[in-house]
Amino acid sequence: MDTFQLPLFPLRTVLFPDGVLPLRIFEVRYLDLIARCQREGVPFGVVCLTQGGEVRQPRRPVAQAGAGGDDFAPQAFAPVGTMAHIVELDSPQPGLMMIRCSGGRRFRLTRHEQLKHGLWVGDARYIPDDLPLSVPPDLAHVPQALRRLVQSMQVSQSKMDALPIQPPYRWDDCGWVANRWCEILPVSPQLKQQFLALESPLVRLELVADLLERLKISLPPDSGSDG
């Protein structure tokens, strides 16, 4: 499988294929990155942080930072990430960008490095996309519950493109349903990252069903609409 190079955006969140990711960009390294991606029509890679913050922070105490060395706190992130495609970009003022991205293909990093100005880049290989797989009858309640939740969101939100789950809806696809639940369930980014890295969409959906049972999440009643 071919290896390719891509710029990386480490975040304390996990982007799934077909997911929605709004970002507020103000660091120079990312302003330059987003401007270039928008100009060239190319995506960037989102990876989940395992150490450090999203914004570069100086080492503490600053007085002990090595002269001529790396004066910023270290960052580390998971090796499996998702391509982010910019679908909307607004620059309300100089030095600020508001963007909305759509999740693309998953990838696995084989190497990464941080450039002098702070931007991470890496070499990666794509992970095969989830194969279309119908939801088995014993898990039919999982997409049904998600459908009811989306219907409830649509009633309470006047701006449809602001919803965290966007069409096209694939209620009978194991991977799509599992990914949408993974995005909105109140669990740690570390657990979401584990779900992202799973190769089997059916296993991912089964684990989501277990989580729904354990968390005992209260869902809106069925409205009777097809959604």
Side-chain angles (χ1 to χ4, degrees):
M1 190 177 296
D2 293 338
T3 299
F4 60 95
Q5 188 174 79
L6 76 165
L8 301 172
F9 202 133
L11 294 168
R12 288 208 169 277
T13 190
V14 179
L15 176 63
F16 286 81
D18 300 311
V20 178
L21 178 66
L23 288 174
R24 181 174 179 268
I25 312 294
F26 55 87
E27 287 191 83
V28 172
R29 55 177 173 163
Y30 294 134
L31 289 170
D32 292 343
L33 165 65
I34 298 304
R36 184 170 71 253
C37 288
Q38 176 74 350
R39 182 172 61 251
E40 298 176 3
V42 297
F44 58 94
V46 170
V47 287
C48 183
L49 281 163
T50 57
Q51 179 185 4
E54 295 179 343
V55 179
R56 293 185 90 193
Q57 300 290 341
R59 293 180 186 269
R60 293 185 174 84
V62 175
Q64 295 180 4
D70 184 359
D71 294 344
F72 294 93
Q75 287 180 313
F77 40 81
V80 172
T82 303
M83 303 300 287
H85 298 260
I86 302 170
V87 294
E88 288 184 9
L89 186 151
D90 183 33
S91 185
Q93 64 187 56
L96 178 64
M97 288 181 180
M98 310 293 288
I99 67 172
R100 186 162 66 95
C101 301
S102 174
R105 297 186 66 179
R106 294 176 298 166
F107 60 83
R108 183 179 297 276
L109 293 171
T110 59
R111 185 192 68 86
H112 61 271
E113 64 174 325
Q114 191 171 30
L115 305 180
K116 289 183 179 180
H117 61 289
L119 183 68
W120 287 95
V121 296
D123 295 333
R125 293 189 176 98
Y126 280 124
I127 295 174
D129 294 335
D130 288 338
L131 293 176
L133 183 64
S134 296
V135 176
D138 62 317
L139 294 176
H141 62 286
V142 181
Q144 289 169 2
L146 182 65
R147 186 193 294 250
R148 296 201 306 272
L149 184 59
V150 169
Q151 290 170 347
S152 177
M153 291 177 180
Q154 290 171 340
V155 170
S156 61
Q157 174 61 258
S158 59
K159 191 176 181 182
M160 292 297 103
D161 61 1
L163 294 177
I165 298 176
Q166 291 289 316
Y169 304 124
R170 302 202 296 275
W171 304 116
D172 193 41
D173 184 85
C174 284
W176 187 89
V177 172
N179 289 348
R180 302 294 75 78
W181 270 121
C182 288
E183 292 165 347
I184 60 179
L185 281 172
V187 296
S188 69
Q190 291 76 20
L191 183 55
K192 294 185 180 189
Q193 180 65 39
Q194 293 177 27
F195 282 15
L196 177 71
L198 287 172
E199 293 185 6
S200 169
L202 177 57
V203 170
R204 201 180 311 134
L205 188 65
E206 290 172 338
L207 292 174
V208 164
D210 291 342
L211 268 178
L212 289 173
E213 176 65 25
R214 294 209 320 259
L215 295 173
K216 300 186 183 304
I217 293 175
S218 177
L219 294 170
D222 191 348
S223 67
S225 170
D226 288 338

